[in-house]
Amino acid sequence: MTTRLDRLRKGERWWLAEAAFRVCGLILLYACYHAALLAYQLVFALPAHQATPGEFAICAATYLMLTSGLALTFAGPGLLRHVPIPPHSAYFPGH
């Protein structure tokens, strides 16, 4: 398993990882669509009401699914690519 992760960290292309990451991203976007429909139905239900913690949690989950689904769909295994930190970095001193 670590040899495969090392290959992905080096940025080597692997078609199975490309497909798996992008399919997971599309599944998350599909789930996000349905969660957004559910949130819309709950928020705009009559009578007008204050948002409940459950509605807020559904909206937060929708946002998380949207951002992670888009990242997995467009970047794919590039999310695991190693990015070197320069030695004079102000944010990570000591590297």
Side-chain angles (χ1 to χ4, degrees):
M1 182 69 174
T2 59
T3 58
R4 292 179 182 157
L5 284 176
D6 288 338
R7 286 177 54 192
L8 292 175
R9 285 186 194 120
K10 291 178 187 175
E12 294 179 18
R13 305 271 318 219
W14 185 29
W15 71 270
L16 186 59
E18 294 271 343
F21 274 82
R22 294 188 195 308
V23 166
C24 287
L26 291 174
I27 290 170
L28 279 172
L29 290 175
Y30 180 76
C32 172
Y33 171 74
H34 285 287
L37 287 178
L38 176 64
Y40 180 81
Q41 289 174 352
L42 291 175
V43 169
F44 291 108
L46 293 177
H49 61 284
Q50 292 290 325
T52 64
E55 292 170 348
F56 181 74
I58 290 172
C59 291
T62 302
Y63 172 77
L64 290 174
M65 284 189 283
L66 178 65
T67 54
S68 55
L70 288 173
L72 286 172
T73 302
F74 290 119
L79 293 172
L80 301 177
R81 191 173 305 130
H82 177 71
V83 178
I85 298 173
H88 53 77
S89 173
Y91 297 106
F92 298 102
H95 276 235

